[in-house]
Amino acid sequence: MKNCKRLAALALLLCLLTACSGETVSPSPSVLPPGVTNPPVMGDVSLPPQSTAAFGTEDLIVGSVAYGASRAEVEAALGTPDEVAEAEDESGVPRTLLMYLDGMTMFLSQDDRLVGASVAIAGIDGPRGLVVGDPLEKVTRSFRNDGTGDDLLYSAGRLDKPFGELPCLPPCGYLSSVDSARYVHYAVPMTPYDGDAKAQLSTVEHATLTFAFQEDALVGFFWNTGKLTA
């Protein structure tokens, strides 16, 4: 199946939202609750611990549609796409792309079910009601943060060697940055691991979510489902 060739704006967006392998975030001291030292920070923004729920598959939403919605449901909620194309994900699985020129793309499975979304326009609710323009601190407050003081917000353990761009064992949340762009990432298995979790990173389907920021303001988010690639 031929790969999709997209407008330059969409290519730039996907590059932005999936550029996860930048510099890790160095912690710095701040005023903290008793017993907590050096929470994660990004730039001048301190990210204190939060007991909010971790990222889960219930967070895979765009506007009024969620993961697994039919193509008809997607188009009823978001309108008729400006362009439709075919592509493959990183694992070589065919996907249908419903592309909207204002900065939004929906990814459908072979049976026309919603399995991914990329949004870079204001006014479209994403996971937990977050929208483009929200500040970094609001986004991180919306999800679990154990306040470990490094690039990990929470995890089931740090991997000895990153799996692709993933530094931690899901379920996990982590931070990264590339030049002035900053990212907050989350990952969770779609079904519980059975046995050695590390050995199943490439065999179990995962849900992933990335928030992208410029000058501490959310400029886009991207969520996806499927098998991870190293």
Side-chain angles (χ1 to χ4, degrees):
M1 183 175 297
K2 72 175 184 178
N3 292 326
C4 161
K5 291 188 177 181
R6 183 60 173 121
L7 298 176
L10 177 61
L12 179 61
L13 167 64
L14 294 179
C15 179
L16 172 68
L17 295 181
T18 58
C20 310
S21 59
E23 304 169 358
T24 55
V25 179
S26 301
S28 64
S30 64
V31 178
L32 300 170
V36 178
T37 59
N38 291 352
V41 298
M42 296 196 84
D44 297 327
V45 180
S46 178
L47 308 177
Q50 301 291 330
S51 58
T52 318
F55 166 64
T57 55
E58 67 277 6
D59 294 311
L60 302 177
I61 63 170
V62 176
S64 60
V65 294
Y67 166 77
S70 68
R71 177 170 179 172
E73 291 170 328
V74 172
E75 293 190 3
L78 302 176
T80 302
D82 297 290
E83 186 177 345
V84 178
E86 303 296 324
E88 294 180 351
D89 68 10
E90 292 183 354
S91 300
V93 177
R95 294 285 187 247
T96 298
L97 279 61
L98 307 182
M99 297 180 288
Y100 299 81
L101 296 184
D102 50 5
M104 183 168 60
T105 298
M106 302 295 110
F107 300 85
L108 304 181
S109 63
Q110 288 178 283
D111 58 354
D112 274 349
R113 295 288 175 174
L114 182 65
V115 293
S118 172
V119 176
I121 55 174
I124 301 292
D125 284 354
R128 306 198 183 182
L130 296 166
V131 296
V132 168
D134 280 341
L136 171 64
E137 186 177 4
K138 179 179 180 180
V139 174
T140 56
R141 281 203 317 266
S142 299
F143 294 88
R144 174 180 165 187
N145 177 4
D146 292 344
T148 57
D150 56 19
D151 59 311
L152 300 187
L153 298 171
Y154 65 91
S155 76
R158 183 181 290 277
L159 296 172
D160 296 332
K161 179 181 179 181
F163 186 82
E165 295 161 344
L166 187 70
C168 47
L169 188 65
C172 65
Y174 63 101
L175 310 173
S176 72
S177 62
V178 179
D179 299 324
S180 62
R182 300 172 180 178
Y183 306 92
V184 179
H185 314 272
Y186 299 97
V188 65
M190 300 286 285
T191 57
Y193 297 124
D194 181 16
D196 184 357
K198 293 181 182 179
Q200 298 175 68
L201 289 176
S202 62
T203 59
V204 171
E205 292 201 340
H206 290 74
T208 58
L209 169 64
T210 294
F211 293 101
F213 301 85
Q214 287 285 352
E215 298 181 352
D216 298 329
L218 181 62
V219 295
F221 61 86
F222 173 72
W223 60 258
N224 194 26
T225 57
K227 294 180 180 179
L228 302 176
T229 56

